Protein backbone atom coordinates (compact mmCIF):
# COMPACT_ATOMS: atom_id res chain seq x y z
CA UNK A 1 0.00 0.00 0.00
CA UNK A 2 2.84 2.39 0.73
CA UNK A 3 4.20 1.96 -2.79
CA UNK A 4 0.79 2.65 -4.29
CA UNK A 5 0.31 5.64 -1.97
CA UNK A 6 3.73 6.96 -3.02
CA UNK A 7 2.93 6.63 -6.71
CA UNK A 8 -0.40 8.43 -6.29
CA UNK A 9 1.21 11.17 -4.19
CA UNK A 10 4.00 11.63 -6.75
CA UNK A 11 1.44 11.89 -9.56
CA UNK A 12 -0.57 14.48 -7.61
CA UNK A 13 2.59 16.46 -6.88
CA UNK A 14 3.61 16.33 -10.52
CA UNK A 15 0.17 17.51 -11.64
CA UNK A 16 0.17 20.54 -9.31
CA UNK A 17 3.40 21.05 -7.41
CA UNK A 18 2.54 24.56 -6.18
CA UNK A 19 -0.71 23.83 -4.38
CA UNK A 20 0.03 20.41 -2.88
CA UNK A 21 1.73 19.21 0.26
CA UNK A 22 4.97 17.28 0.19
CA UNK A 23 4.96 13.81 -1.30
CA UNK A 24 5.69 12.35 2.16
CA UNK A 25 2.66 14.03 3.74
CA UNK A 26 0.37 12.98 0.91
CA UNK A 27 1.80 9.45 0.93
CA UNK A 28 1.11 9.13 4.68
CA UNK A 29 -2.49 10.30 4.27
CA UNK A 30 -3.10 8.19 1.19
CA UNK A 31 -1.69 5.09 2.88
CA UNK A 32 -4.18 5.52 5.73
CA UNK A 33 -7.05 5.93 3.27
CA UNK A 34 -5.98 2.97 1.14
CA UNK A 35 -5.51 0.68 4.16
CA UNK A 36 -8.91 1.70 5.53
CA UNK A 37 -10.55 1.08 2.16
CA UNK A 38 -8.88 -2.32 1.94
CA UNK A 39 -10.20 -3.33 5.38
CA UNK A 40 -13.73 -2.21 4.50
CA UNK A 41 -13.84 -3.84 1.08
CA UNK A 42 -12.28 -7.16 2.12
CA UNK A 43 -14.45 -7.43 5.26
CA UNK A 44 -17.67 -6.73 3.37
CA UNK A 45 -16.73 -9.08 0.53
CA UNK A 46 -16.10 -11.90 3.00
CA UNK A 47 -19.37 -11.09 4.79
CA UNK A 48 -21.25 -11.15 1.49
CA UNK A 49 -19.55 -14.37 0.38
CA UNK A 50 -20.41 -16.15 3.64
CA UNK A 51 -23.98 -14.83 3.80
CA UNK A 52 -23.25 -12.59 6.80
CA UNK A 53 -23.07 -9.24 5.01
CA UNK A 54 -25.42 -7.38 7.36
CA UNK A 55 -23.80 -8.58 10.58
CA UNK A 56 -20.34 -7.88 9.13
CA UNK A 57 -21.46 -4.37 8.18
CA UNK A 58 -22.88 -3.80 11.67
CA UNK A 59 -19.61 -5.03 13.23
CA UNK A 60 -17.58 -2.77 10.92
CA UNK A 61 -19.66 0.33 11.68
CA UNK A 62 -19.78 -0.37 15.42
CA UNK A 63 -16.10 -1.08 15.84
CA UNK A 64 -14.91 1.79 13.67
CA UNK A 65 -17.40 4.27 15.12
CA UNK A 66 -16.30 3.55 18.68
CA UNK A 67 -12.64 3.55 17.59
CA UNK A 68 -12.95 7.09 16.19
CA UNK A 69 -14.08 8.34 19.61
CA UNK A 70 -12.10 6.10 21.94
CA UNK A 71 -8.81 5.61 20.09
CA UNK A 72 -6.74 2.57 20.97
CA UNK A 73 -3.41 0.89 20.34
CA UNK A 74 -2.00 0.41 16.86
CA UNK A 75 0.17 -2.24 15.29
CA UNK A 76 3.61 -1.30 14.00
CA UNK A 77 2.84 -2.73 10.59
CA UNK A 78 -0.06 -1.65 8.37
CA UNK A 79 -0.17 -5.24 7.07
CA UNK A 80 -0.72 -6.59 10.60
CA UNK A 81 -3.41 -3.96 11.17
CA UNK A 82 -5.19 -4.90 7.95
CA UNK A 83 -5.16 -8.64 8.64
CA UNK A 84 -6.17 -8.38 12.30
CA UNK A 85 -8.87 -5.79 11.56
CA UNK A 86 -10.45 -7.94 8.84
CA UNK A 87 -10.31 -11.06 11.02
CA UNK A 88 -11.90 -9.27 13.98
CA UNK A 89 -14.63 -7.54 11.96
CA UNK A 90 -15.53 -10.69 10.05
CA UNK A 91 -15.19 -12.85 13.17
CA UNK A 92 -17.52 -10.67 15.22
CA UNK A 93 -20.05 -10.76 12.39
CA UNK A 94 -19.98 -14.57 12.35
CA UNK A 95 -20.23 -15.40 16.06
CA UNK A 96 -23.60 -16.95 16.81
CA UNK A 97 -26.05 -15.29 19.17
CA UNK A 98 -25.19 -15.83 22.82
CA UNK A 99 -27.45 -15.65 25.92
CA UNK A 100 -29.03 -12.29 26.82
CA UNK A 101 -27.50 -12.45 30.28
CA UNK A 102 -24.05 -12.63 28.70
CA UNK A 103 -24.88 -9.65 26.47
CA UNK A 104 -25.69 -7.62 29.59
CA UNK A 105 -22.27 -8.41 31.08
CA UNK A 106 -20.48 -7.71 27.78
CA UNK A 107 -22.17 -4.29 27.79
CA UNK A 108 -21.16 -3.70 31.42
CA UNK A 109 -17.53 -4.61 30.67
CA UNK A 110 -17.53 -2.26 27.67
CA UNK A 111 -18.92 0.55 29.81
CA UNK A 112 -16.40 0.03 32.60
CA UNK A 113 -13.51 -0.05 30.12
CA UNK A 114 -14.65 3.15 28.42
CA UNK A 115 -15.16 4.94 31.73
CA UNK A 116 -11.76 3.77 32.94
CA UNK A 117 -9.53 4.16 29.89
CA UNK A 118 -11.12 6.13 27.03
CA UNK A 119 -10.01 8.02 25.15
CA UNK A 120 -6.64 6.70 24.10
CA UNK A 121 -5.90 8.66 20.94
CA UNK A 122 -3.09 7.93 18.54
CA UNK A 123 -0.02 10.09 19.17
CA UNK A 124 -0.18 11.22 15.52
CA UNK A 125 -3.83 12.29 15.76
CA UNK A 126 -3.07 15.74 17.23
CA UNK A 127 -6.35 15.81 19.14
CA UNK A 128 -6.41 18.68 21.64
CA UNK A 129 -6.47 17.48 25.25
CA UNK A 130 -9.48 19.73 25.90
CA UNK A 131 -11.53 17.40 23.65
CA UNK A 132 -10.72 14.27 25.68
CA UNK A 133 -13.73 14.64 28.02
CA UNK A 134 -16.04 14.94 25.00
CA UNK A 135 -14.47 11.86 23.39
CA UNK A 136 -14.90 9.95 26.66
CA UNK A 137 -18.60 10.90 26.83
CA UNK A 138 -19.15 9.95 23.19
CA UNK A 139 -17.48 6.57 23.87
CA UNK A 140 -19.59 6.03 26.98
CA UNK A 141 -22.73 7.00 25.08
CA UNK A 142 -21.99 4.62 22.25
CA UNK A 143 -21.41 1.59 24.47
CA UNK A 144 -24.37 2.53 26.67
CA UNK A 145 -26.64 2.60 23.62
CA UNK A 146 -26.31 -1.16 23.32
CA UNK A 147 -28.18 -1.61 26.61
CA UNK A 148 -31.18 -0.31 24.63
CA UNK A 149 -30.36 -1.73 21.20
CA UNK A 150 -29.47 -5.16 22.59
CA UNK A 151 -27.36 -6.30 19.65
CA UNK A 152 -25.01 -9.20 20.17
CA UNK A 153 -22.89 -8.12 17.18
CA UNK A 154 -22.60 -4.54 18.44
CA UNK A 155 -21.77 -5.79 21.94
CA UNK A 156 -18.91 -7.95 20.67
CA UNK A 157 -17.64 -5.28 18.29
CA UNK A 158 -17.60 -2.80 21.17
CA UNK A 159 -15.81 -5.37 23.34
CA UNK A 160 -13.08 -5.86 20.75
CA UNK A 161 -12.61 -2.10 20.51
CA UNK A 162 -12.86 -1.55 24.27
CA UNK A 163 -9.98 -3.95 24.81
CA UNK A 164 -7.75 -1.78 22.59
CA UNK A 165 -7.97 1.19 24.97
CA UNK A 166 -6.73 -0.80 27.96
CA UNK A 167 -3.05 -0.07 28.67
CA UNK A 168 -2.00 -3.72 28.90
CA UNK A 169 1.62 -2.65 28.98
CA UNK A 170 3.18 0.74 29.19
CA UNK A 171 4.23 1.11 25.58
CA UNK A 172 1.30 -0.79 23.99
CA UNK A 173 1.68 -2.68 20.73
CA UNK A 174 3.12 0.26 18.83
Amino acid sequence: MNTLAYRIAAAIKKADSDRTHSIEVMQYSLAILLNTALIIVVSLLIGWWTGQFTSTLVALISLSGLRMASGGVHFKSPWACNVVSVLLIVGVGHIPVYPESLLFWVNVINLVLMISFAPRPDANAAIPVKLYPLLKWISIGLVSSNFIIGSHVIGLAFLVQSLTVVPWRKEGIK
Side-chain angles (χ1 to χ4, degrees):
M1 283 298 167
N2 276 338
T3 303
L4 179 58
Y6 177 82
R7 288 181 182 169
I8 294 170
I12 293 170
K13 189 69 171 175
K14 184 178 178 183
D16 190 357
S17 62
D18 295 335
R19 296 188 305 170
T20 56
H21 292 282
S22 69
I23 290 176
E24 294 77 17
V25 168
M26 290 189 293
Q27 178 185 8
Y28 177 78
S29 299
L30 285 166
I32 291 171
L33 291 172
L34 291 171
N35 282 310
T36 301
L38 179 71
I39 291 166
I40 292 168
V41 169
V42 171
S43 296
L44 293 178
L45 282 174
I46 292 171
W48 171 76
W49 183 61
T50 60
Q52 297 296 323
F53 181 84
T54 302
S55 60
T56 302
L57 179 62
V58 169
L60 174 68
I61 291 169
S62 301
L63 199 148
S64 60
L66 183 57
R67 185 159 185 85
M68 287 191 316
S70 66
V73 295
H74 291 270
F75 288 98
K76 291 178 184 178
S77 154
W79 177 249
C81 176
N82 293 344
V83 170
V84 171
S85 295
V86 168
L87 289 174
L88 290 172
I89 291 164
V90 171
V92 165
H94 285 77
I95 292 177
V97 175
Y98 46 91
E100 293 299 318
S101 60
L102 186 55
L103 174 60
F104 173 80
W105 289 109
V106 166
N107 289 336
V108 167
I109 291 167
N110 293 337
L111 185 58
V112 168
L113 292 176
M114 287 297 129
I115 290 169
S116 301
F117 302 112
R120 188 171 181 197
D122 183 325
N124 297 323
I127 297 171
V129 175
K130 68 181 182 180
L131 292 179
Y132 286 16
L134 175 62
L135 294 173
K136 180 181 278 293
W137 281 109
I138 291 170
S139 300
I140 290 168
L142 286 170
V143 298
S144 296
S145 71
N146 203 41
F147 284 104
I148 297 165
I149 298 168
S151 167
H152 294 80
V153 173
I154 293 172
L156 285 177
F158 284 171
L159 180 61
V160 166
Q161 175 51 34
S162 294
L163 293 172
T164 71
V165 300
V166 176
W168 297 104
R169 53 186 176 178
K170 204 169 199 168
E171 73 280 357
I173 295 173
K174 189 171 186 177

